[in-house]
Amino acid sequence: MKLLKTIPNLVLTLLVSGTSLFAQSGKVEYSEFNLNNGLHVILHQDNSTPIVTVAVMYKVGSKNEQPNRTGFAHFFEHLMFEGTENIPRGEYAKFVERAGGTLNANTSADRTYFYEILPSNQLELGLWLESERMFHAKVDSLGIQTQKKVVIEEKKQSYDNRPYGSILIETMKRAFREHPYRWTTIGDPDHIRAAKDEEFQTFYNTFYVPNNAVLVIAGDINPEKTKNLIEKYFKDIPAGQNEIYRPHIVEPPLNGEVRDTIYDNIQVPLVLQAYRTPAMNTPDYYALDMLGTLLSGGQSSRLYKELVDNQQLAISVGSFPLPYNEPSVNLTYAFTNMGVDPKQLEEAINDEIKKVQEKLIPEKEFQKLQNQFENQIIGGNEKIAERAHNLATYYTYFGDASLINKEIEKYMAVTREDIQRVARQYFTPDSRVVLYYMPKQD
């Protein structure tokens, strides 16, 4: 969902420069507590700039949907900007914009995230807005019908009519047969069309409740005053009473390569390999993430140097594990150079993977890899809004916000032997989906 608006120049400057305290310590300090209704609250104080991020992450994504009613979590990402009992329809975003701030939201397979970035003297506004969304969102026929049209049109524009737009849809439905990761957040428009108003209302009452959420306030705050404001706006919201659906589905092994060709409105063929891999916050995930950067992280990476520069088989390459809360896939892809047979490109990809499997990477290359991740992690916490998001994610996914300060240690614990081992263990033909994206013929 794109609700990002132009930020006033002053606020934009503050967003860019608000890094001094974190830069000095390299550690994200925070406090946390629970309200009686089950809402978990995390406070991160950084008074270096007069801005504040108010964020709520709900533990609901596309994996919490039913197979015949997909797309609900993404639908609510839109619907919850419709308005509330106390905010007129279409006015939600205007409150933030008039206060000189910005707001946005996004949905994944595992969670839904809403946030506002505001001048710190508008903290109370942000808290009121999020409490309204949590307790008084308009889930009525008019809003539902309006957003049905919006999300169905988004599916057409961003997926159906966009070159390569169906990659994740086509990949996941082949990589998974039982787990709800087999569908993506956009869902099926037919499911959205068929759903009745009561189904959406039940979904809201089940998942968008304080005992299924974390509230993060980060930035220029006074912790005690902030706690009082949080209690003012959130403590009287009742805990949800419906059973919260958590899928406990262990996807069986793929047991053999799945290979297919997708004909799309494209001009450049694409080769994609999706290998089944473990979940985030597992030692092997960190090793696979480093393997992905080794293969495709920049112009000095192995796939880029060999396939793009040396052999000139590809014009672009990439490799990375999907950052999902449960076992998922690693995507490796390459766009073919003009006149190149996709089969030749695929063989070249396999050759580079085989090199990692057969021989330890040199110590110098490994040191560079470690430096890349250290810079990446520190950079990923520079801005206050990024820290708020990371704190919310670690708590929602793992129940442990302190992981924000342990991520570097986990990556630095990966050895050269680990990278070789995960390449051997997970990058095997019998655990992958291979797709060729080819131009449609007349």
Side-chain angles (χ1 to χ4, degrees):
M1 184 174 189
K2 301 298 182 186
L3 284 173
L4 196 61
K5 302 294 183 180
T6 302
I7 309 173
N9 289 337
L10 174 61
V11 176
L12 181 59
T13 301
L14 295 174
L15 283 172
V16 172
S17 62
T19 63
S20 59
L21 291 181
F22 171 75
Q24 291 171 17
S25 67
K27 185 178 181 181
V28 179
E29 302 288 350
Y30 64 92
S31 60
E32 53 189 335
F33 60 93
N34 290 316
L35 297 183
N36 290 335
N37 57 14
L39 179 66
H40 191 74
V41 181
I42 300 175
L43 304 181
H44 167 60
Q45 183 179 6
D46 183 341
N47 303 113
S48 59
T49 54
I51 59 171
V52 65
T53 295
V54 178
V56 176
M57 185 173 283
Y58 293 94
K59 196 172 184 178
V60 55
S62 56
K63 75 178 182 185
N64 301 96
E65 300 160 353
Q66 296 303 313
N68 65 339
R69 286 294 183 266
T70 62
F72 269 46
H74 172 252
F75 179 88
F76 271 92
E77 176 198 322
H78 287 262
L79 185 70
M80 290 173 73
F81 285 94
E82 242 333 271
T84 73
E85 292 179 12
N86 300 304
I87 299 173
R89 197 178 304 276
E91 294 291 314
Y92 193 100
K94 295 179 182 179
F95 279 91
V96 176
E97 293 158 12
R98 286 194 291 262
T102 186
L103 73 168
N104 214 328
N106 53 71
T107 309
S108 77
D110 300 303
R111 90 297 179 273
T112 303
Y113 187 58
F114 300 93
Y115 67 92
E116 293 83 28
I117 302 172
L118 292 157
S120 53
N121 61 3
Q122 297 295 324
L123 168 62
E124 189 166 2
L125 170 65
L127 292 170
W128 173 67
L129 287 169
E130 288 301 339
S131 68
E132 279 292 302
R133 196 187 329 249
M134 186 179 291
F135 193 25
H136 294 131
K138 283 182 180 175
V139 189
D140 58 15
S141 295
L142 177 58
I144 289 170
Q145 290 306 313
T146 299
Q147 295 307 323
K148 278 187 176 185
K149 295 175 184 177
V150 170
V151 298
I152 290 169
E153 183 62 25
E154 181 180 346
K155 171 71 161 51
K156 292 178 182 177
Q157 295 298 323
S158 298
Y159 295 82
D160 300 341
N161 300 329
R162 182 179 180 181
Y164 314 101
S166 64
I167 280 180
L168 203 57
I169 295 172
E170 298 291 350
T171 300
M172 300 306 273
K173 72 182 183 182
R174 290 169 173 83
F176 293 91
R177 299 187 179 99
E178 297 182 16
H179 195 280
Y181 282 168
R182 68 184 187 270
W183 61 81
T184 59
T185 55
I186 194 65
D188 188 329
D190 289 340
H191 297 171
I192 296 297
R193 289 190 190 96
K196 298 179 180 179
D197 290 358
E198 306 84 70
E199 294 178 78
F200 290 109
Q201 290 158 358
T202 298
F203 197 87
Y204 173 73
N205 292 331
T206 300
F207 291 105
Y208 301 90
V209 291
N211 45 311
N212 194 45
V214 56
L215 168 68
V216 180
I217 313 299
D220 182 29
I221 61 172
N222 175 295
E224 287 306 314
K225 291 181 180 178
T226 302
K227 286 181 182 179
N228 292 335
L229 287 173
I230 290 169
E231 290 185 356
K232 174 181 177 181
Y233 287 103
F234 288 91
K235 74 173 184 178
D236 292 331
I237 300 176
Q241 299 302 310
N242 295 345
E243 181 180 354
I244 296 176
Y245 170 63
R246 306 277 187 226
H248 297 288
I249 299 171
V250 178
E251 182 70 24
L254 202 56
N255 288 330
E257 181 183 83
V258 177
R259 181 175 289 267
D260 213 340
T261 301
I262 310 296
Y263 293 95
D264 199 1
N265 291 317
I266 59 175
Q267 294 182 333
V268 180
L270 167 75
V271 175
L272 179 137
Q273 298 175 335
Y275 291 93
R276 293 270 292 273
T277 49
M280 288 179 66
N281 199 38
T282 59
D284 283 2
Y285 176 88
Y286 294 106
L288 284 161
D289 200 12
M290 295 184 82
L291 172 60
T293 299
L294 173 75
L295 292 172
S296 68
Q299 295 185 5
S300 63
S301 63
R302 292 193 173 194
L303 286 177
Y304 193 96
K305 283 196 301 185
E306 189 61 30
L307 275 59
V308 179
D309 288 344
N310 295 345
Q311 299 187 45
Q312 298 184 358
L313 297 174
I315 58 175
S316 180
V317 295
S319 184
F320 56 91
L322 292 183
Y324 284 9
N325 194 205
E326 298 182 45
S328 183
V329 293
N330 184 99
L331 301 181
T332 301
Y333 66 88
F335 292 87
T336 65
N337 209 340
M338 186 178 298
V340 172
D341 184 346
K343 182 64 176 175
Q344 183 184 5
L345 178 56
E346 184 190 358
E347 290 172 353
I349 294 171
N350 292 339
D351 287 343
E352 290 307 306
I353 292 172
K354 189 175 181 181
K355 290 176 185 177
V356 183
Q357 293 171 332
E358 293 181 345
K359 186 177 180 180
L360 281 178
I361 67 173
E363 187 63 48
K364 184 177 180 180
E365 192 175 22
F366 181 59
Q367 183 62 55
K368 176 186 174 183
L369 198 57
Q370 288 183 314
N371 292 340
Q372 285 178 293
F373 273 88
E374 188 171 15
N375 292 334
Q376 175 184 312
I377 294 163
I378 293 173
N381 281 321
E382 280 186 351
K383 295 184 178 66
I384 290 170
E386 292 167 340
R387 287 174 239 161
H389 174 265
N390 292 339
L391 284 165
T393 299
Y394 283 120
Y395 179 79
T396 301
Y397 282 23
F398 312 115
D400 185 3
S402 73
L403 290 171
I404 195 171
N405 293 316
K406 299 173 183 176
E407 194 173 33
I408 289 181
E409 298 173 14
K410 291 178 179 290
Y411 279 106
M412 294 306 107
V414 174
T415 65
R416 294 187 298 157
E417 290 78 9
D418 289 330
I419 294 174
Q420 182 183 43
R421 177 182 55 78
V422 296
R424 290 173 172 173
Q425 181 175 346
Y426 298 104
F427 282 34
T428 60
D430 63 350
S431 65
R432 74 184 178 195
V433 174
V434 180
L435 296 180
Y436 284 8
Y437 263 74
M438 301 295 290
K440 283 184 177 178
Q441 304 300 316
D442 291 339

